[in-house]
Amino acid sequence: MHGVSCRKLWMRVALGAIVAVGMGADAAAQVLWRVTAVDSVGGRHTSYVLGTMHTVEPEMLDTLAGMTEALERATVVYGEVDASDMALSSEALACAIAPSDSTLQCLLSPAALDSVCRYVSSFGVDGTETLKVLGRMKPAMLDAFLEVRRSGVSTDVSPDIALQYRARAMGREVRALETAEQQMYMLMSTPIAEQLESLMESVRAPEAAQAASDSLVAAYHRQDLAAIEGLLAREMGQAYAERMLYARNRAWAAMLAPEMRRYSVLVAVGAGHLVGPEGLLALLCKAGYYISPVGGSAPLPEQGK
């Protein structure tokens, strides 16, 4: 997608991106999936995997057919991180601070810095004051701040976090697949030059950045994984996908597979982690689980092979 970086799109899909899968239209129009396992004595355990997006309103959960049942049946709810344990260590916070010679004030010309300030101000915040704080940090921090502003969400509570609140209110145990520190290190490990280019793409072409954000959010509201795939697949390099998606999917599948054979689990992760031959659903399928979209019975393509 011209003018919109892979990193920026990846951030919009809740720490995930869609890769080519060749799913049918009916199966693709789902973000909630049923995972069925049979234990060693013939008992059946039904778990669920939900694809989320940070930059949509939490009320999206109420529009998903089968969401109430999934939460009621679940013994344990997994999120990428635990909302009650988001405090970052000093080391994790330090990794977001730019080296003294790599702040925005050092990297950009006065004219370019003024352009950034005006772009930030276009979202109804004080650009000068925002840059005083975020300008000392790596460009990815300001980029993430602007992603939320572009989405237009009116709350800081994303659907995956809202789901954890609901689960705890119902007495469910909530666990995390990763720590907040792990995600911070991952976000900040991209070279600063790449982070800066991602930020400046939006500054140079704000209309294109807004249009891409709007298209992605609209596709998620339609539960249209195929459309999200089309928006992202061309931008996803193999090395980037391995670091941000595939390696994490393998680790999560190894953690979740034995859990799902013992009791019902509800997993909420970025929508992009759901699909593709190295996606979380395909990995669970290969581990012997039956996967089907809630509201339908069509299996993933990998199950029919």
Side-chain angles (χ1 to χ4, degrees):
M1 180 179 301
H2 180 68
V4 181
S5 72
C6 173
R7 184 180 184 283
K8 194 180 303 297
L9 290 171
W10 171 76
M11 289 166 60
R12 289 177 191 150
V13 194
L15 297 175
I18 300 297
V19 293
V21 292
M23 299 177 72
D26 291 340
Q30 298 286 337
V31 293
L32 181 61
W33 293 74
R34 185 180 294 106
V35 181
T36 304
V38 179
D39 63 26
S40 58
V41 295
R44 295 172 65 88
H45 300 280
T46 300
S47 293
Y48 299 87
V49 177
L50 170 68
T52 65
M53 181 182 288
H54 290 332
T55 53
V56 299
E57 301 283 356
E59 288 77 16
M60 174 70 179
L61 293 173
D62 298 320
T63 70
L64 300 178
M67 190 70 250
T68 299
E69 176 189 351
L71 190 52
E72 288 178 346
R73 294 187 65 166
T75 301
V76 177
V77 174
Y78 272 95
E80 290 191 23
V81 294
D82 187 337
S84 67
D85 188 27
M86 296 289 284
L88 293 171
S89 66
S90 58
E91 292 82 4
L93 289 171
C95 83
I97 303 298
S100 58
D101 61 351
S102 298
T103 64
L104 290 181
Q105 290 79 0
C106 293
L107 294 172
L108 297 176
S109 68
L113 194 62
D114 183 62
S115 295
V116 174
C117 185
R118 284 187 280 109
Y119 181 56
V120 173
S121 297
S122 72
F123 293 98
V125 297
D126 189 319
T128 300
E129 291 301 315
T130 300
L131 289 184
K132 282 182 181 179
V133 177
L134 295 180
R136 299 194 304 266
M137 309 189 85
K138 292 179 181 177
M141 293 298 289
L142 179 56
D143 213 7
F145 170 81
L146 293 172
E147 283 301 317
V148 175
R149 291 288 171 172
R150 267 189 293 271
S151 72
V153 294
S154 58
T155 176
D156 293 331
V157 179
S158 57
D160 50 328
I161 300 303
L163 182 64
Q164 292 185 30
Y165 291 159
R166 294 186 188 186
R168 283 197 165 93
M170 295 172 64
R172 303 297 187 267
E173 181 180 357
V174 174
R175 300 177 186 171
L177 295 166
E178 297 173 334
T179 66
E181 282 85 358
Q182 285 175 307
Q183 292 204 345
M184 176 64 83
Y185 284 124
M186 181 172 52
L187 280 170
M188 296 299 121
S189 63
T190 305
I192 287 181
E194 293 182 18
Q195 295 183 30
L196 183 63
E197 178 57 24
S198 174
L199 172 65
M200 294 309 293
E201 281 183 0
S202 298
V203 175
R204 291 190 293 264
E207 295 85 0
Q210 186 64 57
S213 181
D214 292 345
S215 296
L216 199 61
V217 170
Y220 183 79
H221 276 287
R222 297 193 308 270
Q223 301 189 57
D224 192 345
L225 297 186
I228 298 176
E229 172 192 342
L231 289 168
L232 303 180
R234 289 179 298 174
E235 302 290 336
M236 181 63 69
Q238 183 63 31
Y240 191 88
E242 171 62 29
R243 180 162 64 95
M244 296 297 190
L245 290 177
Y246 305 152
R248 298 166 73 205
N249 289 345
R250 291 192 294 270
W252 296 349
M255 183 187 307
L256 293 169
E259 300 286 292
M260 290 178 171
R261 294 196 187 280
R262 293 190 291 164
Y263 41 74
S264 181
V265 176
L266 171 57
V267 184
V269 296
H273 290 281
L274 268 59
V275 298
E278 297 185 75
L280 183 58
L281 294 177
L283 294 176
L284 290 172
C285 179
K286 292 172 184 176
Y289 294 89
Y290 181 79
I291 312 293
S292 62
V294 174
S297 59
L300 284 177
E302 288 80 1
Q303 288 181 271
K305 295 180 179 179

